[in-house]
Amino acid sequence: MDFPVSFTEKMKTILGDEYDDFLKGYDRTRHYGLRVNRTKLSTEQFEKMCTYELEPVPWIDNAFEYEDSVSPAKHPYYFAGMYYLQEPSAMTPANLLPVEPGDRVLDICAAPGGKATELGAKLNHTGLLVANDISNSRAKALLKNIELFGIPNVLVTSEPPEKLGEKFPVFFDKILIDAPCSGEGMFRKNPGMMKDWEIYGPKHYSELQRSIVPHAIRMLKPGGMLLYSTCTFSPEENEGTVKFMLDLDSDLEILEIPNRYEGFSPGRPELIEGGTEDLKKCVRIWPHKMNGEGHFIALLHKKNKGEAVIKKEKPRKEKALPVLLEDFMKDCSYPVNGSDIEIQEDRVYLMPEGIKGIKGLRFLRSGLLLGTLTKDRFEPSQAFAMVLKKDQYQAVIDFSSLDHRVIRYLKGETIDVDDLPLKRQKGWQLVCVDGYPLGWGKLVNGSLRNKYLPGWRWQS
């Protein structure tokens, strides 16, 4: 590759005798990865269903590599939210942040959602995920991926970090900062980033990172953990920004990465001014040492010096479901409590715990959009379909992935289903592929009227 001269000179200084191996790494085939959505199925189940060859990613227990000739994004399983496509080293931050069910979790720079979807899957429909991106257009892609993955307990916001810091002081158990960076680890995947690197460079991005991290630290509870990551090799943006955080808050400490993979390289404190030995606990992923494009990771802990004063949310008042929603839910076993319902105009949301009174933010989504109320019926949403399991709705049309009608459904076409065994002959149907929901359809006279969300449709 034709790297900028200043980049090659810097990398020679950082890598020394390893520099030639680093360059040779770019001659190897690129690595393509997918991460299984464990809220829908296990890795073992996916392996049995998959029709192409997979190679496990050794340091990510729910991830696989696949050949460039394969097109997983053009398979119905992708549209069922069964996996996310992501470069292997980029999977590492969300994998290493030890999220537990019930946690309050923030992904502060979340678009397009590769890391947020894994954090949400770890929560497994409990706790709260706040997924934020300052860019509204990028946040829209983030929202789609979160809903495709079937994550209900979410707030998707598009705000600057300082605004979030005002609304969520000492609020989160776990925070991920996958920081905007100079992207040196992305040069092979996206060579156009080299021009951006020459225009802005590490200095610009290190300053941007240091404008973000104080607000994230403010939002972290005592005893909580913060994972900082970049996809660059630059010491200013990596060890330098971690040192900035440690200097900013004396209650922060770097933790050893649990289950450290043998290919992980330690942090390099000698590359920055005033670097200390504990920076070696950070992880560097080098493309010549592992099957990944490159990443930097640091796991920090906020010492538990006195408990934070967290206002407990008052129990929500019990209330009945809207009549039309209640009628629809007679066929659905997904737990919906009237106390957790919020209606905004005609849209019905199921709200997660812990967010009462949080206003004044630009939300793309607050909670799970169940659907819309019209004069005489409730119409379920695409997001609701993706949260459900096949056995949670009584009327199901389950296509084989080999049935040509699956693609026709994903393209938005009306489909003839006269030949299929149907539990009922009219009304809403949960459409599945090999047992995994894709969306809704409405059965009328043996034909399935397509309700698949237009913005998600299969593009030929």
Side-chain angles (χ1 to χ4, degrees), residues 54-106:
L54 297 170
E55 184 70 30
V57 175
W59 68 97
I60 308 284
D61 60 352
N62 62 328
F64 299 92
E65 291 185 41
Y66 61 90
E67 295 294 330
D68 184 24
S69 57
V70 177
S71 299
K74 283 293 186 181
H75 195 287
Y77 291 168
Y78 176 81
F79 290 79
M82 292 163 65
Y83 50 80
Y84 190 95
L85 303 181
Q86 193 172 30
E87 183 271 312
S89 61
M91 299 177 187
T92 313
N95 176 266
L96 291 177
L97 183 59
V99 170
E100 301 290 340
D103 278 348
R104 294 176 176 180
V105 181
L106 169 65

Side-chain angles (χ1 to χ4, degrees), residues 155-442:
L155 300 182
V156 178
T157 59
S158 182
E159 292 287 3
E162 55 268 27
K163 186 77 172 285
L164 292 177
E166 293 168 5
K167 300 294 182 181
F168 296 105
V170 287
F171 185 87
F172 294 102
D173 301 289
K174 310 286 163 56
I175 295 177
L176 176 66
I177 310 174
D178 188 47
C181 67
S182 57
E184 294 166 354
M186 300 286 285
F187 284 178
R188 176 163 59 171
K189 182 179 176 182
N190 183 4
M193 291 194 72
M194 285 188 270
K195 184 149 186 79
D196 181 82
W197 188 92
E198 291 181 291
I199 296 171
Y200 297 104
K203 184 176 186 299
H204 165 81
Y205 284 102
S206 65
E207 290 171 355
L208 179 58
Q209 292 154 7
R210 295 171 201 202
S211 73
I212 293 170
V213 296
H215 307 292
I217 293 169
R218 179 186 180 189
M219 291 185 273
L220 187 64
K221 289 181 185 177
M225 294 186 196
L226 183 155
L227 193 138
Y228 174 83
S229 64
T230 72
C231 58
T232 197
F233 308 122
S234 159
E236 305 98 300
E237 301 172 68
N238 293 335
E239 290 89 353
T241 298
V242 174
K243 182 180 183 299
F244 176 81
M245 286 192 276
L246 296 172
D247 291 343
L248 198 64
D249 190 332
S250 61
D251 287 342
L252 286 178
E253 60 182 347
I254 305 177
L255 297 180
E256 288 282 1
I257 298 293
N259 303 317
R260 198 177 181 109
Y261 177 63
E262 61 183 11
F264 290 171
S265 297
R268 300 281 300 276
E270 74 277 10
L271 296 177
I272 62 167
E273 186 176 348
T276 54
E277 283 293 298
D278 58 344
L279 288 168
K280 289 183 178 179
K281 296 176 184 175
C282 302
V283 163
R284 280 180 170 270
I285 295 177
W286 294 103
H288 61 291
K289 290 188 173 183
M290 293 174 64
N291 290 347
E293 298 297 309
H295 237 75
F296 174 87
I297 297 150
L299 182 61
L300 296 100
H301 171 249
K302 195 170 192 177
K303 298 171 190 173
N304 202 344
K305 292 187 176 179
E307 292 292 334
V309 179
I310 306 292
K311 289 183 180 179
K312 289 189 176 180
E313 186 176 276
K314 292 180 182 178
R316 295 173 181 170
K317 293 181 181 178
E318 289 189 22
K319 57 183 179 182
L321 294 176
V323 173
L324 295 173
L325 174 58
E326 185 176 25
D327 186 54
F328 178 86
M329 293 302 294
K330 289 174 183 176
D331 291 332
C332 184
S333 62
Y334 187 81
V336 173
N337 190 316
S339 304
D340 300 326
I341 290 295
E342 185 173 302
I343 300 174
Q344 300 173 14
E345 297 179 348
D346 61 346
R347 295 161 76 89
V348 183
Y349 296 89
L350 184 65
M351 305 299 286
E353 293 183 8
I355 61 169
K356 189 175 181 180
I358 295 173
K359 297 179 180 177
L361 291 173
R362 183 166 50 171
F363 291 106
L364 278 78
R365 181 70 76 243
S366 51
L368 169 64
L369 174 62
L370 292 174
T372 56
L373 295 168
T374 67
K375 276 187 177 182
D376 58 356
R377 67 187 180 278
F378 170 78
E379 295 202 350
S381 73
Q382 180 71 39
F384 191 16
M386 302 312 294
V387 166
L388 293 174
K389 308 287 188 188
K390 175 185 172 181
D391 61 3
Q392 288 182 308
Y393 194 71
Q394 286 190 15
V396 173
I397 292 177
D398 190 10
F399 292 116
S400 161
S401 59
L402 301 177
D403 191 323
H404 69 280
R405 287 174 291 188
V406 176
I407 307 303
R408 290 182 55 207
Y409 171 76
L410 292 170
K411 288 181 174 181
E413 297 177 18
T414 297
I415 301 168
D416 186 349
V417 292
D418 255 348
D419 61 311
L420 298 178
L422 301 172
K423 190 164 186 177
R424 65 183 181 205
Q425 301 303 312
K426 64 178 182 178
W428 290 105
Q429 304 282 324
L430 182 63
V431 181
C432 300
V433 56
D434 291 337
Y436 295 90
L438 291 169
W440 298 103
K442 208 163 190 183

